[in-house]
Amino acid sequence: MRACARVATESAPGPGGRPRTRISGLRSQAPLMLFTTRAKEGEPSVAHRGVPARVSVAAGAAGPIGGDELRLEVEVGPGSVLVLSEVSPSLLLPGREGRVSTTRVRISVATGGTLVWLPEPLVAARGCDHLNEVRVDLADDAALLMREEVVLGRHGETGGRVRLSTRVRRSGRALLCQDLELGTGAGRTPVVAHGHRAVGSVLVADPLWCAQEARSRPRTRLLSGDAVVTPLPQGAALISALCQDNASLRDTLRSGLAALGPPWTPRPVPPPP
Amino acid sequence: MTARAALLLFADGRLPAGGYAHSGGLEESVRTGRVRDAQSLESFLEGRARTVGLVLAAFAARSCRAARDPDPLPELEVLDAELDARTPSPAQRETSRQLGRQLHRLLTGMAHHPLLERLPRAPHQPLVLGAACGLYGLRPLDAALAALHESVTGPAVAAVRLMSIDPFRTHAALARIAPSLDRLAERALEHCDGSPHDMPAAAAPLLDVVAEVHATRSERLFAS
């Protein structure tokens, strides 16, 4: 199965002259279904960057299954704020003849723009072979929060192979480049994941950290277990965690965000209207 | 000095460039119990070669090729930023720059060369290693192999001091993974051209975590 979905946002005048984010493009293609939504989980307080639009991705079918090629394009226009979430975890399944499934995500965040991307975990079923490729281009003063979570195997199952390839640039300059292989090869060694079944990270790029003095920027913080918050050059921080299950992974990543402080500390989920 | 003699010199663990003070994350991995015997050590070394080793090899090879350009500095600057982006652990970035500074000082003491004098103050170690290989007439493949060799021999030698293991067994492990070093060096070579942004970025998240934990230890045998 091949599919390409796209979401684009722009800044438009809202009530009282305050700019709000308008969705200027929304294209779904089965199984990648996009729709506007309300806040799903505790988000950072991005209100100072603008009134956000919220879009959620729903998988209209099981998978990705080996052989599937999915593509998601995200364009955050100047000054707009997009919170992109996902309805449920993706279950990565093997296809015929051991074919690879791929998900390619292309993201651009224009000047003054903000993207908070909170996808649900990739759950690697036995025998799967999946490549998740993410390419992000940030404008000079764009802000980004991006989460990645992988769970190796369902309950009691040995997970298949997952590769996460991430390239993030700010103004064309490399900010974070990581190719993480899990489930096979180096993934099982004591340097990558060893016996951990849930591996994840959150990247936060805040243009304010570029400008601030060294002491106001994020500092290295050891979290519980095998998890750490580390400052990256160019005003960014990476929360990296290896845990035994997805619940503790999510908790650990949230504690990392809490360690970064406002505005990145997740706020409680607003009650339903 | 002939090129072959230079390669032996650069790949020698006795090179006074500070490498012997580092265990490449092994000390903390032994402390956590993830490495505790010959088998887990071999797995550690293999994982290190396939992640950190591949990345360092690709950057050393490309720096070696760049060193022969009329003006290699702009490319070396890009490579330096790209390697920063592949090193999320600040402790590891610091180690790499410290080792780069020490190797750079050693090389400038060995012979006068205009490129070495124009390098930034504390470049990442594989960039200096690669540039030195280029200046001494070595090929990018040599630079890649030297970087890979160093990425595993340092921790293997440190293992003898960190755990009760027979040095013959650590070197038997090195001999078993040697063929994979050759393959990884060939892979590293594929990235001497093209966009530096697409260069290998094989991640080792547990090494990143142990590097940060190790940096907080007051009692330690090795600097990293």
Side-chain angles (χ1 to χ4, degrees), chain A residues 167 169 177 179 190-191 226 230-231, chain B residues 43 85 88 93 197 199 201 203 206:
Chain A
R167 296 286 186 280
R169 290 192 282 201
C177 304
D179 294 335
V191 306
D226 288 311
T230 53
Chain B
S43 176
R93 290 198 295 273
H197 203 51
M199 289 180 71
L206 278 175

Side-chain angles (χ1 to χ4, degrees), chain A residues 90-248:
Chain A
S90 302
L91 180 62
L92 309 173
L93 293 164
R96 282 179 304 168
E97 294 140 28
R99 282 157 75 195
V100 178
S101 55
T102 57
T103 303
R104 294 182 208 279
V105 184
R106 297 291 179 268
I107 294 171
S108 67
V109 186
T111 184
T114 304
L115 173 65
V116 173
W117 186 28
L118 297 166
E120 294 302 312
L122 299 172
V123 180
R126 177 196 289 271
C128 76
D129 189 354
H130 183 73
L131 171 66
N132 203 64
E133 194 186 80
V134 177
R135 298 289 180 265
V136 185
D137 271 301
L138 300 177
D140 190 32
D141 56 353
L144 173 74
L145 184 153
M146 173 172 118
R147 176 169 74 195
E148 284 181 326
E149 294 168 320
V150 177
V151 180
L152 293 167
R154 288 164 287 189
H155 184 73
E157 181 185 45
T158 306
R161 179 189 197 210
V162 185
R163 286 169 294 156
L164 305 178
S165 170
T166 307
R167 296 286 186 280
V168 182
R169 290 192 282 201
R170 187 196 285 288
S171 307
R173 189 182 153 101
L175 191 148
L176 180 71
C177 304
Q178 294 274 274
D179 294 335
L180 177 61
E181 181 177 352
L182 295 169
T184 51
R188 290 183 180 157
T189 68
V191 306
V192 177
H194 209 226
H196 296 87
R197 289 189 58 237
V199 179
S201 68
V202 177
L203 170 67
V204 179
D206 187 333
L208 279 180
W209 293 334
C210 297
Q212 279 169 358
E213 290 173 34
R215 61 187 161 80
S216 326
R217 289 184 208 139
R219 267 178 271 176
T220 299
R221 181 85 73 95
L222 302 176
L223 305 169
S224 61
D226 288 311
V228 65
V229 183
T230 53
L232 304 179
Q234 291 198 65
L238 184 70
I239 305 161
S240 181
L242 298 104
C243 300
Q244 283 312 321
D245 56 67
N246 51 342
S248 54

Side-chain angles (χ1 to χ4, degrees), chain B:
Chain B
M1 189 160 58
T2 67
R4 266 179 296 182
L7 179 59
L8 289 171
L9 203 63
F10 294 152
D12 189 339
R14 288 162 295 190
L15 193 75
Y20 44 80
H22 297 268
S23 79
L26 183 69
E27 182 169 5
E28 193 60 34
S29 299
V30 169
R31 206 192 294 254
T32 62
R34 279 196 280 270
V35 178
R36 58 183 182 281
D37 53 20
Q39 200 187 350
S40 48
L41 174 67
E42 187 167 333
S43 176
F44 177 93
L45 296 174
E46 199 196 327
R48 215 180 124 77
R50 290 166 81 150
T51 54
V52 180
L54 173 65
V55 174
L56 300 186
F59 278 79
R62 193 160 174 146
S63 306
C64 175
R65 201 228 59 220
R68 299 184 198 158
D69 294 346
D71 182 15
L73 283 180
E75 174 148 22
L76 291 178
E77 262 171 47
V78 171
L79 293 179
D80 200 71
E82 289 285 343
L83 193 49
D84 256 354
R86 284 161 176 76
T87 320
S89 149
Q92 286 180 345
R93 290 198 295 273
E94 174 57 30
T95 298
S96 173
R97 292 195 179 280
Q98 191 190 338
L99 290 172
R101 188 165 49 223
Q102 282 172 276
L103 180 59
H104 185 214
R105 200 162 58 201
L106 173 75
L107 290 163
T108 47
M110 270 163 56
H112 165 79
H113 197 286
L115 171 60
L116 289 177
E117 267 144 49
R118 288 170 58 215
L119 280 183
R121 235 173 57 78
H124 280 296
Q125 195 269 357
L127 271 57
V128 188
L129 175 66
C133 288
L135 297 177
Y136 280 87
L138 290 160
R139 300 163 304 163
L141 180 65
D142 301 319
L145 271 173
L148 276 158
H149 173 79
E150 197 171 79
S151 76
V152 291
T153 51
V157 172
V160 179
R161 293 179 62 193
L162 292 169
M163 49 202 280
S164 66
I165 189 165
D166 180 346
F168 286 12
R169 295 194 75 177
T170 60
H171 265 68
L174 285 175
R176 274 192 298 273
I177 65 169
S180 72
L181 299 190
D182 280 319
R183 283 194 298 274
L184 289 165
E186 294 287 350
R187 260 182 74 193
L189 270 198
E190 293 164 14
H191 300 275
C192 277
D193 300 295
S195 167
H197 203 51
D198 297 329
M199 289 180 71
L206 278 175
L207 272 190
D208 297 339
V209 173
V210 299
E212 294 307 318
V213 175
H214 191 70
T216 64
R217 301 269 183 213
S218 50
E219 282 180 26
R220 54 187 189 193
L221 236 51
F222 291 91
S224 78

